[in-house]
Amino acid sequence: MDLEKKVKVVILMSTYNGEKFLKKQIESILNQKDVLVRIIVRDDGSVDDTQKILNMYKKKGLLNWYTGENKKTARSFLDLIDKAPKADYYAFSDQDDVWLSTKLITAIKKLKKFDDSPALYAGNYKLVDENLNELISMNIHKTTTDFNEAIVYSCCTGCTMVINNKLMENIKGKHPKYIFMHDDWIHKVCLGIGGNVIYDDSKKLLYRQHDNNVEGGKHGLIDKVMKVYSDKKNNKHVMQKQLLEILRLYKHQLTSDNYLLARYAIDKSKGNFLDRLQLAFNKKYKIKESKKLNHEFQIALILNYW
């Protein structure tokens, strides 16, 4: 394919002490087929050789990077979004995975028909160990594609995401006071403002599991539920506060139905025990494919930390 005809994709990557697997991740991005990639990295204050590796690739003209205070993953990616140059599409990268060569072009082919409106692609992934051997897992991964389900749980894995320019225009420059994770935020915003979310079950990414994962731990369904349970309990009402931020920043862009869904969820979650029970067992706030995630949502409301 001629260079002029190739789609331009900006890759946003946040790094932190990622020296061990970073080169493999970068090489797999550079080896993407039928797209022009531009890699922008924000280092979150690494103290290992991560910055030396980034400098090596920068000297070759293969990426640009900068560093700043340690903001943690979500805020680091929001900073990258604010600084992202204009492109046709944008993708988000971890520092330790391996992308199959058709990962980006597969996403773009599915996104193209939604170029006139905000759109997000999310895919499945293959769980592997640190040596890229496939792991046997009970993992059931499916990104939610309706706003009411996303309020319960987004199930959107950031390293599989590709978004179009219309969605980037809607998230750039927005600074939520509270945020659970960047992928959760972007996914909810996309659906809330009437955008399209495409879920693809094909596995175009090797999702590496190891002891030093920044977001840590295995990513099977049970592990995810336990991590979300722990995160939400330690950050009381973070999901409620994040939803409030969506209302604050996107009040005039949310569809009327989605505004009402968000407003009801916030009001009931801030209410008394009976109010929270009404929300917990309201059939509108239910993920069809996952009883476990529905139960996690219900537990969070009953124990008053959602």
Side-chain angles (χ1 to χ4, degrees), residues 174-206:
K174 302 288 189 182
H175 302 122
K177 296 175 184 175
Y178 299 96
I179 183 171
F180 181 51
M181 276 298 290
H182 65 286
D183 47 11
D184 190 271
W185 171 261
I186 296 167
H187 176 261
K188 283 182 169 65
V189 168
C190 182
L191 288 172
I193 63 176
N196 294 282
V197 169
I198 305 156
Y199 174 71
D200 182 6
D201 197 47
S202 64
K203 299 176 181 182
K204 302 294 184 181
L205 178 141
L206 306 183

Side-chain angles (χ1 to χ4, degrees), residues 59-306:
K59 287 176 182 176
K60 295 178 182 179
L62 298 173
L63 59 75
N64 287 304
W65 74 279
Y66 66 100
T67 189
E69 64 177 298
N70 186 265
K71 295 187 174 194
K72 307 300 183 187
T73 305
R75 297 287 176 186
S76 186
F77 272 106
L78 290 187
D79 195 78
L80 280 160
I81 287 167
D82 280 349
K83 292 178 171 62
K86 184 73 178 288
D88 300 310
Y89 299 94
Y90 302 82
F92 301 82
S93 175
D94 288 350
Q95 64 185 0
D96 47 14
D97 300 326
V98 173
W99 292 9
L100 302 189
S101 62
T102 57
K103 177 184 184 296
L104 291 178
I105 195 63
T106 297
I108 288 161
K109 285 177 179 177
K110 292 181 179 294
L111 282 168
K112 268 194 172 298
K113 62 181 175 181
F114 300 109
D115 278 351
D116 293 331
S117 60
L120 178 156
Y121 167 98
N124 207 339
Y125 48 77
K126 184 180 291 186
L127 283 173
V128 296
D129 65 18
E130 65 177 54
N131 298 312
L132 302 182
N133 298 306
E134 186 171 3
L135 294 170
I136 297 173
S137 172
M138 296 299 289
N139 178 59
I140 303 171
H141 179 76
K142 190 177 188 305
T143 298
T144 48
T145 55
D146 295 303
F147 187 62
N148 59 314
E149 290 188 340
I151 289 174
V152 176
Y153 193 79
S154 281
C155 304
C156 188
T157 305
C159 55
T160 74
M161 285 190 343
V162 181
I163 68 173
N164 67 4
N165 188 54
K166 287 288 186 183
L167 181 53
M168 175 58 83
E169 289 174 351
N170 279 280
I171 59 177
K172 186 189 278 276
K174 302 288 189 182
H175 302 122
K177 296 175 184 175
Y178 299 96
I179 183 171
F180 181 51
M181 276 298 290
H182 65 286
D183 47 11
D184 190 271
W185 171 261
I186 296 167
H187 176 261
K188 283 182 169 65
V189 168
C190 182
L191 288 172
I193 63 176
N196 294 282
V197 169
I198 305 156
Y199 174 71
D200 182 6
D201 197 47
S202 64
K203 299 176 181 182
K204 302 294 184 181
L205 178 141
L206 306 183
Y207 200 5
R208 197 192 305 258
Q209 304 301 297
H210 56 92
D211 292 339
N212 297 320
N213 285 62
V214 173
E215 290 307 313
K218 296 289 189 288
H219 288 263
L221 182 60
I222 294 173
D223 303 295
K224 276 191 170 184
V225 170
M226 294 308 296
K227 182 181 184 301
V228 172
Y229 174 88
S230 175
D231 286 348
K232 288 182 189 172
K233 192 171 183 182
N234 292 330
N235 297 279
K236 194 172 182 181
H237 302 312
V238 67
M239 301 307 283
Q240 175 196 111
K241 291 174 181 176
Q242 179 178 257
L243 200 55
L244 266 170
E245 285 299 281
I246 290 176
L247 279 187
R248 180 177 73 85
L249 293 171
Y250 294 94
K251 181 177 180 179
H252 300 295
Q253 292 171 263
L254 293 175
T255 68
S256 55
D257 285 346
N258 289 341
Y259 176 86
L260 292 174
L261 282 167
R263 187 74 262 174
Y264 179 88
I266 290 165
D267 291 343
K268 289 295 182 181
S269 67
K270 293 172 73 174
N272 58 32
F273 180 70
L274 288 178
D275 287 327
R276 299 197 307 276
L277 272 185
Q278 286 180 353
L279 174 58
F281 294 97
N282 187 317
K283 292 183 179 179
K284 287 183 179 179
Y285 302 86
K286 184 178 181 181
I287 298 175
K288 302 179 188 72
E289 294 87 358
S290 180
K291 289 182 179 179
K292 286 185 173 67
L293 292 178
N294 292 329
H295 292 160
E296 195 273 334
F297 176 66
Q298 292 164 349
I299 291 167
L301 285 164
I302 290 168
L303 297 182
N304 197 23
Y305 63 82
W306 185 82

Side-chain angles (χ1 to χ4, degrees), residues 22-56:
L22 183 57
K23 289 180 183 179
K24 279 275 191 182
Q25 174 71 87
I26 293 172
E27 291 296 332
S28 74
I29 295 171
L30 295 172
N31 287 330
Q32 291 296 296
K33 291 182 177 179
D34 299 329
V35 294
L36 283 176
V37 296
R38 180 177 177 184
I39 305 173
I40 312 291
V41 184
R42 182 186 184 277
D43 185 72
D44 206 26
S46 295
V47 295
D48 64 357
D49 281 342
T50 294
Q51 294 186 7
K52 290 182 181 179
I53 294 169
L54 294 174
N55 267 330
M56 180 186 75

Side-chain angles (χ1 to χ4, degrees), residues 1-8 34-37 88:
M1 186 180 292
D2 294 339
L3 287 178
E4 293 80 8
K5 295 180 180 179
K6 286 187 176 181
V7 176
K8 296 177 178 66
D34 299 329
V35 294
L36 283 176
V37 296
D88 300 310

